[in-house]
Amino acid sequence: EEVQERQNQLLHIAKLERERTAQELRLAHEIQVSFLPEKCPSLPGWEISADWYAAREVGGDFYDFIALDEEHLALVIADVSDKGMPAALFMSLCRTLMRASAVQTRSPAAVLQRVNELILSESRSEMLLTAFYGVLNWRSGTFTYANAGHPPPILWCQACAADPQLHTLAAKGIILGVMQPIQLEERQVTLTPGDILILYTDGVTEPIDSAGEEFGEERLAGIIASRRNQPCSDIVRQIRAAVWDFAGQQSQFDDYTLVGIKRK
């Protein structure tokens, strides 16, 4: 009887511990969601929509919008090289560093280089960060960007609609948190009415189906092209549905983040 009573006590303690851990994870999820933009910016002549999903209760993906002045908006999408609580903590640090660096310069390459310096000086976690950072002049349509080892965004443009080649905003760069100093290429493109830009993390293109095949960039580009006449929010929503339908019963191992921008 004493052994049985002790076993019951241990089971009760274990149950309470599980409930406490679950509650902490729910709270951590709520806190992490609060770090993400409450809503997408509303700019005359533009549609912006975003989608975020953590594979676990918390994750390492994040996106952000930073108003730099009356006509410049910074857009960030990033992915921490880990999962779960450690990645979520590092993600909150990187988001703060990104915002602090963004107000110091309009150069995307300089912002990411500064974030790299701060990661190496302020963090001893040995985690890494891929990031894409762009500055949109919403009046002129110019989009200046730099890439630190992140999947390059896909651009569907009216001018190249007949071109079967996949158009991406590629730029030379290295993952943040590896070494110092780093050199990042900075490029610029002009978005015209009807153009659609999709920023995403690898959780969008790397889900696999039952046959072990990846969703891939080509499928993503195909959805963008086939839905190009729809509102940006619908395109973003339909991409998620297509990815989930493709993966079927396969578990989602990576966080999912996507930002869509469309010029009207």
Side-chain angles (χ1 to χ4, degrees):
E1 289 179 356
E2 291 178 357
V3 171
Q4 183 64 45
E5 183 179 355
R6 180 57 178 164
Q7 287 178 337
N8 291 337
Q9 290 175 348
L10 292 174
L11 288 173
H12 181 66
I13 292 171
K15 179 183 177 182
L16 292 177
E17 182 65 21
R18 288 194 301 271
E19 291 175 349
R20 183 181 67 83
T21 301
Q23 176 61 26
E24 289 178 350
L25 287 172
R26 283 193 294 269
L27 180 59
H29 176 82
E30 293 174 4
I31 293 173
Q32 185 172 37
V33 171
S34 72
F35 286 155
L36 300 173
E38 184 177 1
K39 60 181 180 180
C40 293
S42 178
L43 302 175
W46 296 84
E47 297 176 357
I48 302 177
S49 186
D51 193 8
W52 179 89
Y53 171 83
R56 303 180 184 177
E57 288 82 356
V58 289
D61 282 9
F62 72 94
Y63 68 95
D64 205 358
F65 306 111
I66 308 169
L68 302 176
D69 56 37
E70 291 184 355
E71 60 183 22
H72 290 93
L73 175 72
L75 301 98
V76 184
I77 189 165
D79 185 359
V80 175
S81 62
D82 203 348
K83 304 291 181 293
M85 189 66 74
L89 293 172
F90 190 67
M91 165 266 194
S92 64
L93 169 66
C94 292
R95 175 187 175 275
T96 300
L97 298 180
M98 197 76 70
R99 282 188 157 258
S101 302
V103 298
Q104 299 175 5
T105 175
R106 293 292 181 270
S107 166
V111 169
L112 293 179
Q113 288 164 345
R114 178 57 178 160
V115 172
N116 183 66
E117 294 174 6
L118 294 172
I119 288 176
L120 289 171
S121 63
E122 300 295 333
S123 173
R124 294 182 294 276
S125 67
E126 297 185 354
M127 290 186 185
L128 308 176
L129 181 77
T130 71
F132 180 92
Y133 183 98
V135 175
L136 174 67
N137 183 323
W138 60 269
R139 295 187 189 276
S140 68
T142 59
F143 186 69
T144 309
Y145 61 93
N147 192 336
H150 196 80
I154 293 176
L155 174 63
W156 186 91
C157 55
Q158 292 279 12
C160 55
D163 187 350
Q165 182 179 356
L166 179 66
H167 293 268
T168 63
L169 299 192
K172 296 178 182 178
I174 185 173
I175 295 174
L176 306 183
V178 176
M179 59 183 288
Q180 172 63 26
I182 61 172
Q183 296 296 322
L184 299 174
E185 182 182 17
E186 188 168 291
R187 292 187 175 186
Q188 188 176 90
V189 67
T190 298
L191 303 179
T192 59
D195 289 357
I196 302 168
L197 182 62
I198 299 294
L199 290 64
Y200 64 95
T201 60
D202 53 16
V204 176
T205 54
E206 292 185 357
I208 58 174
D209 62 10
S210 57
E213 184 178 357
E214 281 191 352
F215 185 78
E217 293 179 349
E218 295 293 341
R219 283 189 178 85
L220 175 57
I223 296 171
I224 299 167
S226 64
R227 304 291 193 273
R228 61 187 181 275
N229 294 322
Q230 298 182 7
C232 187
S233 58
D234 289 349
I235 297 172
V236 169
R237 185 166 50 252
Q238 288 164 3
I239 290 173
R240 162 90 83 100
V243 172
W244 260 237
D245 182 64
F246 177 83
Q249 300 299 318
Q250 306 302 310
S251 299
Q252 180 80 2
F253 291 108
D254 208 350
D255 302 325
Y256 177 107
T257 304
L258 187 143
V259 177
I261 307 159
K262 182 178 183 179
R263 188 168 188 182
K264 298 178 182 178

